[in-house]
Amino acid sequence: MKKRHEQKLIILSIGLLIAFSIPVSLLFNSEKEVFGYPMILVYLFVVWMISIIISFVIVKKYDE
């Protein structure tokens, strides 16, 4: 894997560190529900799913 692809994964990791931090996560801690699930759970699982998809694309696209 080339250096720039590793840098993309590091940027993704830093973004996830920020997205999963307590202050940002608590922004979604409300009484609202999405399909019967609390908003904070929906936020956490959607961010997690998007991060898996992005990392998969980076690794598959740039795997040499």
Side-chain angles (χ1 to χ4, degrees), residues 1-11 58 62 64:
M1 190 175 296
K2 292 185 179 180
K3 185 83 169 170
R4 67 176 182 254
H5 311 310
E6 291 175 4
Q7 290 173 351
K8 289 178 184 179
L9 291 174
I10 290 172
I11 290 171
I58 290 172
Y62 300 114
E64 297 173 325

Side-chain angles (χ1 to χ4, degrees), residues 25-49:
S25 295
L26 288 179
L27 290 174
F28 295 93
N29 192 14
S30 66
E31 297 295 323
K32 294 182 182 178
E33 292 185 351
V34 178
F35 300 115
Y37 295 104
M39 186 64 125
I40 192 165
L41 285 179
V42 173
Y43 167 74
L44 292 174
F45 283 110
V46 166
V47 169
W48 186 25
M49 181 181 61

